[in-house]
Amino acid sequence: EISLGPGVTMPLRLGRYLEFEPSLSANYEGRWVDQSDDDTQYAWARDYEADLKISSRVERIFDASIGRIDRLRHSIRPSLTYTYHETRSDDNLSWFDPVTDKGQLNKLSFTLENFLDTRSRDSRGNLSYRQWAAFTLTQPYNLDELRRSLNPGEKRRPFDPLEISFTLKPLRLLDIYWSARWDHYDNEF
């Protein structure tokens, strides 16, 4: 078996408040499989992905007095990401593990990330920093759905489910994680 997955990402600053981050990646998987009749078969699968992301970050630092925590930093990071993903493989890969479960993607996603970070001071005055909470909303929009041919009476459904996640780390050894997806068309989680 052979598996290769190179990728490149290049974050660029556009002025003081914007960041532009293009990225490209490719994955290749090949396998030699011995058949029962002493025949060896080779099969391959590969996928490509390109992302273009533009984002900003706004933050504010607050003085606090919560146990050993003396400062809180609230950061908000809105971003808009275009993703294109394509998979190619041999025609007969029923036994082959998929390279990815993403399938064909051509979408635009808006993400709003919120972070709450802490600065703590121990009894000796040493500082430590950690992320206390994170809350993320992501709304993907399927661009291929705009081009899809419709049957009579059929409606377009370009919005993928709204993705919500929340992580709380109240103690060093305790992480609380919650995630949900809201389907706009079925009106359910």
Side-chain angles (χ1 to χ4, degrees):
E1 180 174 328
I2 185 170
S3 182
L4 301 170
V8 64
T9 300
M10 186 173 181
L12 304 167
R13 283 242 176 251
L14 301 176
R16 188 173 170 186
Y17 298 105
L18 289 177
E19 185 175 296
F20 178 68
E21 185 176 313
S23 65
L24 293 169
S25 65
N27 295 301
Y28 179 87
E29 288 188 21
R31 291 189 183 160
W32 291 267
V33 178
D34 290 329
Q35 302 294 324
S36 59
D37 57 358
D38 294 332
D39 184 29
T40 300
Q41 245 184 359
Y42 179 76
W44 59 270
R46 63 182 177 224
D47 71 321
Y48 308 95
E49 185 166 314
D51 289 319
L52 297 173
K53 179 179 181 178
I54 191 159
S55 62
S56 186
R57 183 182 188 115
V58 179
E59 61 186 31
R60 173 119 190 243
I61 297 175
F62 301 92
D63 290 326
S65 181
I66 306 169
R68 294 184 175 169
I69 297 171
D70 65 353
R71 291 247 171 115
L72 294 172
R73 179 176 65 185
H74 180 220
S75 302
I76 299 173
R77 184 179 173 102
S79 63
L80 192 60
T81 306
Y82 171 73
T83 302
Y84 180 79
H85 181 267
E86 184 177 322
T87 302
R88 296 188 183 202
S89 62
D90 279 344
D91 291 333
N92 183 14
L93 292 180
S94 57
W95 54 269
F96 205 92
D97 292 336
V99 175
T100 179
D101 60 359
K102 291 181 186 180
Q104 177 83 18
L105 290 179
N106 184 18
K107 69 180 179 179
L108 192 61
S109 299
F110 174 74
T111 301
L112 184 62
E113 298 172 293
N114 282 274
F115 301 102
L116 189 59
D117 302 322
T118 65
R119 183 180 86 172
S120 301
R121 191 179 302 270
D122 65 13
S123 58
R124 290 184 242 150
N126 297 324
L127 295 175
S128 63
Y129 300 87
R130 70 186 181 113
Q131 191 172 87
W132 208 16
F135 179 71
T136 304
L137 293 169
T138 301
Q139 178 58 71
Y141 188 79
N142 187 339
L143 298 171
D144 284 337
E145 178 69 9
L146 294 175
R147 296 185 190 113
R148 186 175 66 90
S149 298
L150 296 177
N151 294 324
E154 192 177 17
K155 293 183 180 178
R156 295 198 189 282
R157 294 180 158 210
F159 289 101
D160 287 350
L162 174 68
E163 300 167 6
I164 305 164
S165 67
F166 177 70
T167 304
L168 180 64
K169 300 177 181 183
L171 305 170
R172 285 215 185 273
L173 299 176
L174 176 65
D175 290 359
I176 299 168
Y177 179 76
W178 173 81
S179 68
R181 293 168 54 111
W182 172 260
D183 190 323
H184 300 280
Y185 307 106
D186 293 337
N187 294 323
E188 64 185 22
F189 280 97

